[in-house]
Amino acid sequence: MGTMEVLERLSPILQRVFNDDELVATLELTYLDIDDWSSLSQALMIAEIEKEFDVKFKLREVATMNNVVTIVSLIESKLNQKD
């Protein structure tokens, strides 16, 4: 799965979690760009991502997930491990 497909599948998750229908996942997007990004919303986002992509993140990975480029990289890494 390529980066663009991951971003396309990630956008609806971010829109639901952060209650913003106009939010689009881009590699430049960080927690600083989203007013409602908190530890609780991040936990909800991670749970949604794990469900959508059928992956599980380790605690040390979760600690680094404060921007979309890192999230996409982790998702791609997890999916490539399945192959």
Side-chain angles (χ1 to χ4, degrees):
M1 179 178 305
T3 300
M4 293 309 295
E5 187 176 349
V6 172
L7 287 171
E8 287 173 13
R9 290 175 63 183
L10 198 53
S11 285
I13 293 170
L14 298 180
Q15 291 168 356
R16 278 193 309 273
V17 169
F18 298 111
N19 198 27
D20 183 349
D21 292 338
E22 296 179 14
L23 190 57
V24 176
T26 66
L27 295 178
E28 295 78 25
L29 191 66
T30 75
Y31 75 98
L32 296 172
D33 300 316
I34 302 174
D35 292 336
D36 293 336
W37 191 310
S38 64
S39 55
L40 177 59
S41 61
Q42 182 168 343
L44 294 170
M45 176 186 67
I46 291 166
E48 291 279 329
I49 292 169
E50 288 179 333
K51 182 179 175 183
E52 171 69 22
F53 292 95
D54 191 28
V55 296
K56 291 288 181 193
F57 297 108
K58 296 180 177 161
L59 185 56
R60 62 183 156 81
E61 293 170 329
V62 169
T64 68
M65 296 173 77
N66 59 7
N67 58 66
V68 171
V69 71
T70 300
I71 294 168
V72 169
S73 177
L74 287 168
I75 292 169
E76 289 176 333
S77 174
K78 298 283 183 189
L79 293 175
N80 286 336
Q81 289 174 6
K82 289 182 172 187
D83 293 342

